[in-house]
Amino acid sequence: MSPHHLRQDSLPKSSPATVSVFASANSWIESDALVQCQRVAALDGMVHVAAMPDLHPGKGAPIGAAMASTVLYPFLVGSDIGCGIAVFPVKLRRVVPERIAARFPDLDRALDPEQDADDPAWAALDGEVPAGHVEGLGTVGRGNHFVELSRVGTVLDSGHASRLGLEAGDLVLVVHSGSRGLGERILRAHTEAHGAGPAPDSAAYLAQHDAAVRWGSLNRRLLAARVAHALGAEPGAPIVDQCHNLVEVRDGVYLHRKGAAPGDGRDVLVAGTRGTPSYLVAAHAGPDANHSVAHGAGRKMSRADALRRGRAKHTVEELRRTPLGSLVVCGDRQLLFEEAPSAYKRIEQVIGDLVHHGLATPVATTVPLVTYKTADAGSASRDARRDGRRGRGRP
DNA sequence: ATGTAC
């Protein structure tokens, strides 16, 4: 062993960071995710790890955690830098789920600046394309991403809801999406050079990161505008838009959030599943929670398990029309099983844990009417793509 | 979650 190593070993070992888990004893948390939290806590410079009740294992880093350290670790944010959830009020005359589902635009096809130059949705960007990254603009992505028309269900804090301009029965578009290929490219470039190590030039990383965060937020506006126009509604500004994959400099440390939303006096939509309500909450998380709240119900099982168990338990039909009566637009059977409500924890339990620990106050629920995951098999837009023709409309 | 390779 080199003297260098001996010297390191002889130094008093810095104690690992504290880990706080904001979940009650009867909330199921996969042990792999807790092990990941302990590994993160042992990283150089780590100060405090706050695990949210939706905690579950991720690739390398846990999902549903806020991690504060003196060193910036890009892998703790992950590849989908800027992923978040936004809520847009929308006014529609008649809501028949089948008709709405049929009118959803093809959100797997990017808007092309030249061929789609006259699409009114572009107004949502106001000419801004962060990092000049045009690829994937207007697409929702895969995994847990979605665009959903929901109805405000139970109002739990009428004063707060009315300040947001919401009352029971109102319609909203909920958009969960990130920075698509841009964030992936930024993390890959870092990882190829430095692996899971810290960013040697944190300012350079942060400049790219900030562009991806902005790109994600603008893309959520673009997605909402595409859908609003297709449904004959006027697109507007979001009343809620919080990013749950990002790093910020706060109190002199790097606060990494991975599947954890900023919870310092902000309103956050905590996503349920495609067959259960979501909760709009007023977040008021303090330093113990790294100023963060949960971002959703959280996976209860891996995608592989959800696929295997889902095939035995559910039919495609019951996943496409949920117990709430809502429709799920998803031409990909595998994704439908992976994203089955039964693959997620109960959102009420997650919200209950946030409330119990004083991290958030529920404002209102949103109840799904139509959720878009990926284009329907047999849709006009998908046929057009397959045949190599341009997307919209009929031949 | 992603683009890309298998």
Side-chain angles (χ1 to χ4, degrees):
Chain A
M1 191 177 280
S2 72
H4 176 76
H5 285 119
L6 283 172
R7 194 160 60 242
Q8 289 258 318
D9 288 348
S10 64
L11 282 172
K13 215 176 170 205
S14 62
S15 54
T18 46
V19 178
S20 300
V21 182
F22 291 85
S24 57
N26 57 351
S27 289
W28 162 248
I29 304 255
E30 226 173 304
S31 61
D32 287 357
L34 295 171
V35 168
Q36 286 184 333
C37 285
Q38 295 299 342
R39 280 204 203 109
V40 168
L43 290 172
D44 282 342
M46 194 58 57
V47 177
H48 180 54
V49 175
M52 298 296 127
D54 57 339
L55 187 80
H56 57 283
K59 192 179 169 180
I63 300 168
M67 301 154 280
S69 84
T70 58
V71 179
L72 197 168
Y73 291 100
F75 88 98
L76 292 182
V77 175
S79 63
D80 197 4
I81 305 162
C83 188
I85 299 179
V87 181
F88 303 80
V90 66
K91 293 228 185 303
L92 295 173
R93 282 208 187 147
R94 255 174 8 114
V95 179
V96 181
E98 287 78 4
R99 296 185 66 92
I100 299 278
R103 286 172 70 182
F104 254 77
D106 180 355
L107 303 177
D108 303 333
R109 188 180 75 78
L111 281 180
D112 186 294
E114 285 170 19
Q115 306 213 42
D116 302 310
D118 55 354
D119 193 309
W122 286 113
L125 300 188
D126 203 17
E128 185 185 349
V129 179
H133 186 82
V134 171
E135 300 91 60
L137 267 178
T139 61
V140 63
R142 288 288 183 125
N144 58 358
H145 292 177
F146 63 86
V147 177
E148 182 171 279
L149 177 69
S150 303
R151 195 183 287 286
V152 174
T154 312
V155 171
L156 300 147
D157 182 338
S158 57
H160 200 114
S162 71
R163 283 198 295 281
L164 287 170
L166 290 181
E167 50 185 76
D170 285 356
L171 296 172
V172 291
L173 287 170
V174 178
V175 180
H176 180 187
S177 188
S179 59
R180 310 291 289 109
L182 178 58
E184 199 273 341
R185 197 175 72 191
I186 294 167
L187 181 67
R188 181 155 34 84
H190 171 84
T191 305
E192 279 170 2
H194 310 290
D201 183 347
S202 53
Y205 170 81
L206 282 173
Q208 296 183 297
H209 160 282
D210 292 352
V213 169
R214 180 71 180 150
W215 199 100
S217 180
L218 285 171
N219 197 48
R220 289 189 284 279
R221 290 175 188 241
L222 188 53
L223 283 159
R226 287 186 88 175
V227 173
H229 285 302
L231 301 182
E234 279 304 308
I239 54 169
V240 168
D241 183 16
Q242 293 301 335
C243 165
H244 48 240
N245 290 350
L246 82 168
V247 57
E248 69 175 270
V249 181
R250 183 176 181 134
D251 302 330
V253 297
Y254 295 106
L255 177 50
H256 310 75
R257 290 191 177 92
K258 172 72 169 172
D264 45 354
R266 293 187 241 195
D267 298 326
V268 175
L269 186 104
V270 186
T273 72
R274 293 336 98 219
T276 55
S278 296
Y279 281 71
L280 203 167
V281 305
H284 35 75
D288 286 354
N290 275 342
H291 313 281
S292 303
V293 293
H295 80 310
R299 295 199 72 84
K300 192 166 67 183
M301 58 184 87
S302 68
R303 291 187 175 277
D305 284 348
L307 186 58
R308 196 158 33 78
R309 297 170 65 166
R311 275 177 169 149
K313 193 158 54 176
H314 306 296
T315 63
V316 167
E317 290 67 34
E318 74 186 80
L319 293 175
R320 289 170 58 87
R321 177 179 291 276
T322 78
L324 296 173
S326 68
L327 296 179
V328 178
V329 177
C330 185
D332 180 336
R333 295 165 59 98
Q334 178 170 328
L335 184 60
L336 205 51
F337 287 115
E338 288 176 356
E339 290 290 311
S342 56
Y344 283 85
K345 305 179 191 192
R346 279 189 64 237
I347 186 65
E348 287 78 11
Q349 181 92 24
V350 170
I351 299 297
D353 284 352
L354 293 179
V355 171
H356 178 256
H357 289 99
L359 307 189
T361 303
V363 173
T365 64
T366 61
V367 183
L369 292 162
V370 177
T371 306
Y372 180 101
K373 295 289 295 177
T374 188
D376 243 330
S379 73
S381 52
R382 166 161 286 208
D383 291 346
R385 254 199 335 282
R386 189 194 55 215
D387 298 346
R389 288 181 277 114
R390 305 285 315 163
R392 73 189 30 221
R394 283 151 184 76

